[in-house]
């Protein structure tokens, strides 16, 4: 993860902003943990073996737009994602979109 | 065991209403904390009237953990010979962090044979439930037990609807002595703290008394408040030394009454 | 012997450990040469996930997984096997992928834990040391808590609440049942494993009976007045199975107080007796035995945990995940066990490295299948708020009460997708 994004994440997640590697490791751990919650349905590292879409390596713009639309309930007919996305902040959803977009498809 | 032959006399039919099993979530101010903090509960302090209660001879049985605060089993047991000279006269139950802390008050006669009462109560949140017993000689005992409520009774959505009438009384008498008596009646125990789906307040409507008599003798009179769970349940004992016809009467706050009669010991 | 040990741990803090020869003078606080030794007890959704994710987060940590079964069969989707929609082997998961991830898997039973000496004793007689212990013990049946229901009774009136021979026994009884028979399910009071489980089971049994033995009936005797996703289940039962299913709650005398397994008969609180052709008793439960042996349970029989990390609230260096824990409002589900295990993995790795754990977020989605093309779900996102686990306001909830057939079909497909994904995430492909 880039230093700037880490600092951004640290800011939104409420961790102390620091350039020391320890703080970076903590921020990485936070995004890793957030993303791990997606694997239960979208598969390990976003590689889905089933009906849910694979999100690893997807377009970052598409992922962001979808997640933010779920959060605002602007995705009619959606099953669980409209219920789950409301549990995260916009910043967290953007960070998740960037995380999964950066993985190998 | 035999199921009671139930004689029903419904005094009055109330209007149909939505089940009010769930009280509004109002946190009692000045809620108590700490082990001996019942002094901070005005209703308990008023009952004790400055008397230091004994902490033995009374047990309060409740699950340490419950995931449904809308109906929690509770049993109060006092050590007592339950004779005319020496018996428990009253048992009080308090849930200090409920919107109204007083849950129930039971008035016991020696003919019960055993000072043990069970019911089902509402718990708004995790708290220390308190029981206070008073003997016929004026001795006071107190028991307290902490209960963790992980989902409040307020938040559990109910899809059930029950007619707002008091109906279907059931009484069952156990085969051994003292005879265990279980009673229940359909009733929403509407707290008066809830709004209906249109946002209008639903008025309080509760069963305020359950009375068990053997002939002219009142064996048990239970005063119920809105912290008693919907479909009020009561379990108690009757000594059964002589066969009696036990009549159980439920009294709604409207004055409506329903009665059921059973034989003790069970025929 | 009275010893006072002064030790500098990896965080550089001075620890004062008083008394007890069991601690041992000069015992290193971490395994030598490694970033730490972690033992994980239990190879289900919680344990296998914890083991995998600890290795993922820090490959230098030695992880040993203790699990008696060489293949782990899951409770989730075992109702689909009962309904005839899945074969039993599809519920089984091996541990080869965990081994490939560097987890050493030991097929034995963890019989006891010495939390002072930090060792686990196995059924093989071996005693293994740990720096951190993760328990994922699942549930045990409280035998005898329901009069007449003991281990012998379960051979006649199965619980099938742990997947395996019990599940197969219940399926065999269903197959042997005559058309027109009565299937009785006895449902417990809260808390218990998988809150919507009994009602999904009823749905799958109804599907099987409707298809094969359409004159049969189902009676649910419930010790509660309300259950998970109730409105969605009852709507679907009425629509799909007509009057086949009757549900009786606590206030209507649904609480069973005695079981006669030989006669396949149950007696309720107010003296009603019901005789079944097939009797399925879901009995009262508690945390798996090893939790009690480790001293992490409380009076309730379940395990209190520190919300942010799922460290035991009672015993140092022990973490607990899954159904055994008191984690409500998170339900006792495989999904929750999996997300709790990820929080524990992050916390354990941080703990061993002397770092603060990351802020936890937990997710849950429980799918229930009511018919092959009819799925429903409940979802939730949880965080620590005011020191307690709480559902994030505005998030979560159940499937809409009014939804079309396409929506229900999609949730049925997503349910299958979920099972494939979480199985891969937990045990590896």
């Amino acid at each position: 993860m880039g230093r700037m994004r880490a600092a951004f994440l640290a800011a939104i997640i409420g961790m102390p902003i620091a350039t020391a590697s320890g703080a970076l490791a903590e921020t990485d751990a936070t995004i890793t943990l957030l993303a791990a919650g997606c694997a239960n349905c979208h598969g390990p590292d976003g590689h889905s073996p089933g009906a849910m879409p694979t999100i690893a390596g997807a377009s970052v713009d598409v992922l962001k737009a979808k997640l933010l639309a779920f959060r605002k309930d602007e995705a009619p007919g959606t099953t669980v994602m409209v219920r789950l996305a409301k549990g995260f902040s916009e910043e967290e959803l953007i960070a998740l979109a960037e995380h999964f977009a950066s993985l190998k498809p | 065991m035999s199921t009671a032959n139930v004689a029903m006399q419904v005094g009055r039919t109330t209007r149909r209403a939505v089940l009010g099993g769930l009280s509004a979530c109002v946190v009692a101010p000045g809620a108590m904390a700490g082990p001996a903090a019942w002094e901070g509960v005005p209703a308990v302090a008023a009952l004790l009237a400055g008397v230091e209660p004994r902490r033995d001879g009374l047990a309060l049985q409740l699950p340490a953990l419950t995931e449904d605060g809308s109906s929690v089993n509770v049993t109060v047991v006092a050590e007592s010979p339950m004779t005319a000279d020496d018996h428990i006269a009253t048992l009080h139950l308090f849930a200090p962090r409920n919107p109204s802390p007083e849950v129930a008050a039971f008035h016991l006669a020696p003919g019960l044979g055993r000072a043990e009462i069970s019911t089902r109560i509402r718990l708004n949140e995790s708290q220390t439930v308190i029981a206070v017993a008073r003997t016929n000689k004026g001795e006071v005992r107190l028991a307290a037990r902490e209960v963790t409520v992980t989902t409040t009774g307020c938040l559990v959505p109910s899809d059930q609807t029950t007619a707002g009438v008091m109906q279907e009384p059931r009484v069952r008498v156990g085969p051994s002595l003292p005879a265990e008596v279980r009673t229940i009646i359909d009733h929403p125990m509407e707290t008066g703290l809830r709004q209906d789906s249109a946002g209008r307040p639903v008025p309080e409507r509760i069963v305020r008394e359950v009375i068990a008599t053997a002939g002219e003798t009142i064996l048990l009179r239970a005063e119920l408040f809105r912290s008693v769970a919907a479909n009020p349940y009561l379990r108690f004992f009757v000594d059964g030394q002589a066969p009696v016809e036990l009549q159980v009467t439920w009294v709604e706050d409207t004055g409506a009454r329903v009665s059921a009669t059973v034989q003790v010991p069970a025929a | 012997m009275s010893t006072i040990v002064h030790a500098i741990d990896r965080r550089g803090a001075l620890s004062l450990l008083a008394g007890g020869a069991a601690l041992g003078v000069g015992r290193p606080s971490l395994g030598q040469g490694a970033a730490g030794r972690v033992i994980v007890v239990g190879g289900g959704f919680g344990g296998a996930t914890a083991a995998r994710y600890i290795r993922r987060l820090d490959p230098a940590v030695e992880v040993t997984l203790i699990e008696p079964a060489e293949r782990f069969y899951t409770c989730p989707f075992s109702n689909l096997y009962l309904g005839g929609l899945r074969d039993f082997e599809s519920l089984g998961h091996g541990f080869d992928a965990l081994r490939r991830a560097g987890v050493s898997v030991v097929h034995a039973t963890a019989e006891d834990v010495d939390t002072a000496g930090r060792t686990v004793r196995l059924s093989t007689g071996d005693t293994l040391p740990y720096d951190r212990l993760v328990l994922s013990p699942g549930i045990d049946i409280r035998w005898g808590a329901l009069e007449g229901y003991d281990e012998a009774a379960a051979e006649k009136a199965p619980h099938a609440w742990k997947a395996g021979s019990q599940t197969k026994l219940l399926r065999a009884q269903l197959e042997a049942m005559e058309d027109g028979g009565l299937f009785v399910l006895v449902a417990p009071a809260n808390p218990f494993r998988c809150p919507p489980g009994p009602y999904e089971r009823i749905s799958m049994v109804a599907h099987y009976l409707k298809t094969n033995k359409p004159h049969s009936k189902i009676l649910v005797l419930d010790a509660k007045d309300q259950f998970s996703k109730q409105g969605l289940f009852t709507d679907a039962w009425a629509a799909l199975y007509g009057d086949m299913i009757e549900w009786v709650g606590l206030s209507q005398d649904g609480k069973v107080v005695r079981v006669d397994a030989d006669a396949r008969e149950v007696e309720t609180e107010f003296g009603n007796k019901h005789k079944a052709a097939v009797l399925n008793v879901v009995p009262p439960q508690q945390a798996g035995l090893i939790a009690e042996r480790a001293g992490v349970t409380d009076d309730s029989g379940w395990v209190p945990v520190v919300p942010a990390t799922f460290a035991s609230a009672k015993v140092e260096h022990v973490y607990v995940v899954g159904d055994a824990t008191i984690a409500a409002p998170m339900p006792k589900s495989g999904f929750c066990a999996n997300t709790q295990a990820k929080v524990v993995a992050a916390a354990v790795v941080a703990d061993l490295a002397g770092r603060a754990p990351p802020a936890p977020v937990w997710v849950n989605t429980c799918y229930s299948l009511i018919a092959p093309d009819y799925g429903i779900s409940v979802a939730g996102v949880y965080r620590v708020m005011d020191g307690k686990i709480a559902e994030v306001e505005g998030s979560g909830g159940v499937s809409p009460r009014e939804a079309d057939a396409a929506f229900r079909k999609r949730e049925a497909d997503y349910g299958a997708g979920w099972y494939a994904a979480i199985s891969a995430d937990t045990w590896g492909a």
Side-chain angles (χ1 to χ4, degrees):
Chain A
M1 184 189 298
R3 182 154 298 197
M4 275 188 56
R5 219 175 96 222
F8 165 68
L9 261 173
I12 55 147
I13 293 161
M15 293 206 162
I17 301 171
T19 49
S21 60
L24 284 180
E26 282 175 24
T27 312
D28 279 339
T30 301
I31 187 68
T32 303
L33 186 54
L34 267 182
C38 306
N40 300 44
C41 292
H42 290 278
D45 293 317
H47 296 98
S48 172
M52 283 77 161
T54 283
I55 49 177
S59 147
V60 68
D61 293 334
V62 170
L63 283 179
K64 272 187 204 172
K66 281 197 169 180
L67 287 170
L68 295 177
F70 291 144
R71 188 173 188 275
K72 290 182 197 145
D73 232 338
E74 288 169 356
T78 304
T79 57
V80 296
M81 279 309 294
V82 285
R83 291 174 254 162
L84 294 173
K86 293 186 190 106
F88 299 87
S89 67
E90 287 195 6
E91 291 77 6
E92 286 172 331
L93 294 175
I94 290 166
L96 284 169
E98 290 176 350
H99 171 82
F100 283 105
S102 75
L103 299 177
K104 274 187 205 148
Chain B
M1 291 207 188
S2 66
T3 304
N5 180 14
V6 170
M8 266 185 64
Q9 308 135 13
V10 178
R12 195 194 123 189
T13 307
T14 53
R15 68 191 160 63
R16 198 181 158 83
V18 175
L19 174 77
L22 317 166
S23 60
C25 283
V26 181
V27 178
M32 52 167 288
W38 63 82
E39 287 139 4
V41 184
V44 178
L47 184 65
L48 295 176
V51 177
E52 184 63 29
R54 269 177 62 183
R55 296 305 308 275
D56 60 348
L58 183 67
L60 185 53
Q61 296 164 0
L62 277 149
L65 171 71
T66 177
E67 288 191 353
D68 181 6
S70 71
S71 178
V72 182
N73 281 312
V74 52
T75 297
V76 193
V77 194
E79 279 170 27
S80 171
M82 292 305 278
T83 59
D85 292 344
D86 183 5
H87 62 271
I88 300 289
T90 55
L91 283 172
H92 293 261
L93 208 50
F94 298 94
R97 295 185 85 137
N98 277 12
S100 43
E102 195 159 28
V103 177
F106 305 101
H107 305 272
L108 290 69
L112 292 181
R114 200 153 145 179
E116 176 174 341
I117 309 266
S118 304
T119 186
R120 293 172 185 153
I121 68 173
R122 293 173 170 145
L123 292 177
N124 222 37
E125 58 179 299
S126 299
Q127 56 186 296
T128 303
V129 175
I130 292 168
V132 177
R134 188 187 293 275
T135 66
N136 61 316
K137 296 169 185 164
E139 182 193 88
V140 181
R141 304 177 195 171
L142 184 145
R145 187 161 159 88
E146 249 181 86
V147 185
T148 302
V149 180
T150 50
T151 305
T152 158
C154 305
L155 299 177
V156 177
S158 174
D159 294 287
Q160 280 181 289
T161 54
T162 294
V165 293
M166 188 163 61
Q167 61 183 9
E168 279 203 51
R170 273 162 285 167
V171 181
R172 190 191 186 199
V173 178
S176 52
L177 295 179
E180 181 187 19
V181 181
R182 293 174 184 159
T183 75
I184 195 169
I185 195 162
D186 284 8
H187 195 282
M189 292 296 279
E190 200 54 78
T191 59
L193 300 170
R194 191 178 71 87
Q195 295 182 335
D196 65 14
S197 52
R200 290 176 301 250
V202 179
E204 181 167 350
R205 177 71 65 248
I206 63 169
V207 175
R208 70 173 155 81
E209 251 182 352
V210 184
I211 306 160
T213 55
E216 299 295 302
T217 310
I218 297 178
L219 293 175
L220 174 68
R221 188 167 69 84
E223 295 176 75
L224 310 184
F225 301 95
R226 58 190 175 191
S227 290
V228 170
N231 308 309
Y233 170 91
L234 213 53
R235 173 179 159 275
F236 56 93
F237 289 83
V238 173
D239 73 5
Q241 292 308 313
V244 294
E245 190 176 78
L246 182 74
Q247 186 179 57
V248 181
T249 303
W250 290 262
V251 185
E252 200 182 48
D253 51 7
T254 57
R257 300 165 84 89
V258 173
S259 289
T261 306
V262 289
Q263 293 301 315
V264 178
Chain C
M1 181 177 166
S2 171
T3 319
I4 295 176
V5 181
H6 296 268
I8 306 289
D9 70 17
R10 276 173 58 105
R11 293 187 199 212
L14 182 72
S15 308
L16 183 68
L17 308 169
L23 284 169
V25 181
R27 181 185 185 280
S29 64
L30 290 174
Q32 281 162 355
R37 289 166 306 193
V38 177
I39 295 182
V40 180
V41 176
F45 287 98
T49 303
R52 273 171 73 83
Y53 273 74
I54 290 170
R55 292 288 304 172
R56 270 179 70 129
L57 294 171
D58 187 350
V61 177
E62 287 176 19
V63 180
T64 304
L65 177 71
I66 314 294
E67 162 60 45
E70 293 193 12
R71 251 177 108 67
F72 186 94
Y73 293 88
T74 64
C75 276
F77 275 52
S78 65
N79 287 329
L80 277 65
Y81 160 74
L82 292 173
L85 300 179
R86 253 190 124 95
D87 74 86
F88 193 75
E89 272 315 306
S90 75
L91 307 174
H93 304 276
F95 294 91
D96 288 346
L98 274 112
R99 289 193 177 91
R100 285 197 298 274
V103 175
S104 73
V105 181
V106 178
H107 292 300
T109 302
E111 290 191 332
D112 208 352
V113 180
D114 173 359
T115 53
R118 290 200 225 167
T119 57
V120 176
R121 184 165 57 75
L122 306 185
S123 51
T124 54
D126 293 329
T127 298
L128 305 182
Y130 65 82
D131 297 308
R132 299 293 180 273
L133 175 65
V134 179
L135 298 177
S136 181
I139 54 126
D140 267 347
I141 308 293
R142 289 174 56 204
W143 298 114
L146 175 57
E147 189 183 331
Y149 199 68
D150 55 15
E151 284 172 279
E155 294 306 311
K156 289 162 182 154
H159 55 79
W161 220 241
K162 291 181 172 191
S165 59
Q166 278 277 307
T167 322
K168 288 181 170 173
L169 176 61
L170 185 59
R171 169 74 190 177
Q173 290 188 353
L174 263 180
E175 284 172 347
M177 189 176 106
E178 283 180 22
D179 189 7
L182 177 67
F183 179 94
V184 174
L185 183 138
V186 176
N190 293 316
F192 63 96
R193 162 179 277 176
C194 191
Y199 315 98
E200 182 189 61
R201 174 166 296 175
I202 285 306
S203 308
M204 286 291 95
V205 168
H207 169 72
Y208 169 79
L209 294 176
K210 185 184 173 184
T211 312
N212 297 285
K213 294 159 189 177
H215 299 100
S216 308
K217 296 279 185 200
I218 297 172
L219 174 65
V220 190
L221 296 170
D222 209 323
K224 341 176 251 312
D225 272 329
Q226 306 180 72
F227 62 85
S228 171
K229 306 182 219 173
Q230 186 165 1
L232 291 168
F233 274 114
T234 52
D235 285 356
W237 288 347
L240 299 169
Y241 303 118
D243 61 356
M244 180 183 266
I245 302 169
E246 185 191 357
W247 177 79
V248 180
L250 173 70
S251 292
Q252 305 310 316
D253 199 18
K255 183 182 177 183
V256 167
V257 294
R258 189 172 299 112
V259 174
D260 180 346
D262 290 325
R264 287 200 179 116
E265 189 176 84
V266 293
E267 186 180 332
T268 60
E269 192 174 31
F270 285 89
N272 285 308
K273 289 184 177 172
H274 302 275
K275 196 170 172 57
V278 174
L279 177 59
N280 179 199
V281 178
V282 182
Q285 300 153 27
Q286 62 195 1
L289 180 65
I290 193 67
E292 197 187 312
R293 304 289 307 179
V296 294
T297 54
D298 70 10
D299 283 354
S300 69
W302 302 99
V303 177
V305 291
V306 176
T309 57
F310 274 63
S312 162
K314 296 181 71 183
V315 180
E316 264 194 314
H317 309 308
V318 181
Y319 295 76
V320 190
V321 293
D323 294 348
T325 61
I326 300 170
M330 262 189 273
K332 296 186 186 303
S333 72
F335 197 123
C336 281
N338 172 291
T339 56
Q340 289 161 9
K342 290 166 182 170
V343 167
V344 162
V348 164
V349 166
D351 186 10
L352 289 171
R355 289 195 306 262
V361 182
W362 300 273
V363 182
N364 180 57
T365 307
C366 288
Y367 288 98
S368 299
L369 197 65
I370 304 183
D373 289 335
Y374 198 118
I376 58 173
S377 65
V378 60
V381 180
Y382 306 88
R383 293 174 191 258
V384 178
M385 285 175 244
D386 299 327
K388 290 180 178 168
I389 299 166
E391 185 160 2
V392 178
E393 210 176 309
S395 78
V398 297
S399 309
R401 194 93 179 244
E402 287 80 33
D404 59 15
F407 192 99
R408 303 293 189 217
K409 168 80 164 74
R410 221 158 49 242
E411 292 223 286
D413 293 343
Y414 285 155
W418 164 77
Y419 187 75
I422 197 169
S423 298
D425 188 42
T426 304
W427 294 281

